Amino acid sequence: GAAGADAGSLGGLAELLGAGGQKASDAFLTDRLPLLQKLKRPIVVAFFAYCFYRGWIGRWGLLQGAMSSSYFDFLAVPLRACERSPLRGRAFVTTQFWASSGVRLTGFLIRLA
């Protein structure tokens, strides 16, 4: 009774926040290589720690990157650090937004075709 109602209300909250039924943008990689899914958190944290060590991202970039949920968030680092990038020196969250938007748009166009 009550336990089922609690689980249902939490599921509804998760869907409201965008977590329900939607696969991660890197799901086509992690579905084919399940090891990448199992090791995602340590790989993501290690990658962003290295980027912080090299000075490519700041403390907030390290925090946001370590909490990211997709391997495609890695693409935000060169967008921020490369000299020829139009987003050079911008906040990490800005470059992360543009990187994920590009990946999602590409996926949408592929599914549309």
Side-chain angles (χ1 to χ4, degrees):
D6 289 339
S9 64
L10 289 177
L13 178 63
E15 286 183 34
L16 180 64
L17 295 174
Q22 195 175 48
K23 291 183 117 181
S25 58
D26 61 359
F28 75 91
L29 288 175
T30 57
D31 288 348
R32 287 169 177 74
L33 299 167
L35 184 63
L36 284 179
Q37 181 62 37
K38 290 180 182 181
L39 296 175
K40 183 185 278 190
R41 185 60 47 209
I43 291 171
V44 167
V45 170
F47 175 80
F48 285 105
Y50 178 74
C51 293
F52 176 73
Y53 170 76
R54 295 291 306 219
W56 296 331
I57 58 174
R59 287 176 288 175
W60 289 111
L62 172 63
L63 181 64
Q64 290 171 327
M67 293 182 348
S68 69
S69 60
S70 172
Y71 283 112
F72 290 120
D73 290 334
F74 290 4
L75 298 174
V77 175
L79 279 177
R80 184 182 189 284
C82 290
E83 293 181 18
R84 295 176 44 183
S85 172
L87 299 173
R88 174 152 172 79
R90 298 274 178 110
F92 180 76
V93 68
T94 304
T95 58
Q96 190 178 29
F97 168 77
W98 284 107
S100 67
S101 295
V103 168
R104 289 179 188 193
L105 178 64
T106 302
F108 171 76
L109 293 175
I110 288 172
R111 284 190 298 276
L112 188 65

